[in-house]
């Protein structure tokens, strides 16, 4: 189920809901999976947001008028030296899957790249970029070679492609920094790791999540 959603750039939860497949989203050989979204279909998260809250006029009470308190004047403090610094971008929970140099970056124009390509040597360790459950480990997706997909939450998935050897199996729980594969060249022109992060099924730029080198 995860590999089908990945192949077509779909949210696995939405695809499962359309096909009435409950967690853990197990499918059988020969089972027909529809990719067509019904015209009147509304995803459950959208329904939850759109649901109006019930209110009763009888329970509403007028807000009492309260006199404004007298202002309290405090000694003016000097601003902190760090108060004007911009807040760091949210990167919590993510780490580099391989320390090698980036040879190709994320791009949605021109030559499409749904992730980043990281150079390395065949056999180098590939580690989980965040903790989560392995939901795919195989070579069934064209163009990815030996691929591992890790589910981190209901929102995020990450993928590690072109491995020489996969060291985990579906259902395994892996921690941030744990080795999950060996870098390879399966389905690629040179030894490298192709790494992707997807948010609700859609590719996002991994460099906005990974720590700066």
């Amino acid at each position: 189920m995860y590999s089908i959603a990945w192949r077509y750039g779909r949210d696995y939860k939405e695809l499962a809901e359309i096909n009435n497949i409950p967690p853990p989203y197990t499918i059988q050989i020969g089972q027909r999976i529809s990719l067509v979204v019904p015209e009147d279909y509304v995803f459950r998260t959208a329904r939850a947001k759109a649901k109006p809250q019930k209110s009763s006029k009888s329970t509403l009470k007028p807000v009492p008028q309260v006199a404004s308190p007298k202002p309290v004047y405090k000694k003016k403090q000097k601003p902190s030296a760090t108060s004007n610094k911009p807040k760091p971008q949210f990167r919590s929970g993510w780490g580099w899957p391989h320390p090698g140099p980036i040879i190709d970056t994320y791009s949605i124009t021109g030559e499409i790249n749904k992730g980043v390509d990281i150079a390395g040597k065949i056999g180098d360790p590939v580690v989980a970029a965040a903790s989560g459950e392995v939901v795919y480990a195989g070579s069934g997706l064209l163009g990815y070679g030996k691929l591992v997909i890790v589910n981190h939450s209901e929102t995020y998935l990450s993928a590690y492609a072109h491995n020489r050897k996969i060291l985990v199996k579906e259902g395994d729980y892996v921690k941030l920094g744990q080795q999950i594969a060996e870098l390879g060249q399966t389905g690629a022109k040179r030894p490298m790791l192709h790494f992707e992060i997807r948010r609700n099924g859609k590719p996002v730029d991994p460099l906005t999540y990974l720590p700066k080198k």
Side-chain angles (χ1 to χ4, degrees), residues 104-185:
D104 198 3
T105 56
Y106 174 86
S107 176
I108 56 175
T109 59
E111 189 171 347
I112 302 298
N113 187 354
K114 297 178 181 179
V116 293
D117 297 332
I118 305 173
K121 297 179 181 178
I122 291 181
D124 281 353
V126 174
V127 304
S131 300
E133 180 187 358
V134 178
V135 293
Y136 181 82
S139 54
L141 271 73
L142 185 65
Y144 285 91
K146 292 183 179 180
L147 172 70
V148 176
I149 299 177
V150 179
N151 181 18
H152 305 290
S153 65
E154 289 191 354
T155 304
Y156 290 101
L157 297 170
S158 64
Y160 314 75
H162 307 311
N163 301 293
R164 178 179 73 171
K165 184 177 181 181
I166 296 174
L167 304 178
V168 291
K169 62 183 184 300
E170 293 172 14
D172 286 351
Y173 183 84
V174 294
K175 294 182 179 181
L176 167 65
Q178 178 181 335
Q179 185 174 0
I180 58 175
E182 294 178 359
L183 189 143
Q185 195 176 343

Side-chain angles (χ1 to χ4, degrees), residues 76-99:
K76 190 175 181 181
Q77 297 179 351
K78 293 182 179 180
S80 171
T82 59
S83 61
N84 294 327
K85 290 185 178 181
K87 293 183 179 180
Q89 191 171 6
F90 176 74
R91 301 174 188 274
S92 177
W94 294 95
W96 284 91
H98 187 276

Side-chain angles (χ1 to χ4, degrees), residues 188-211:
K189 296 180 180 180
R190 58 175 291 180
M192 69 178 201
L193 169 66
H194 175 74
F195 175 69
E196 292 185 21
I197 295 177
R198 295 203 180 182
R199 184 177 186 273
N200 294 325
K202 304 299 182 183
V204 293
D205 187 354
L207 297 183
T208 63
Y209 292 85
L210 296 172

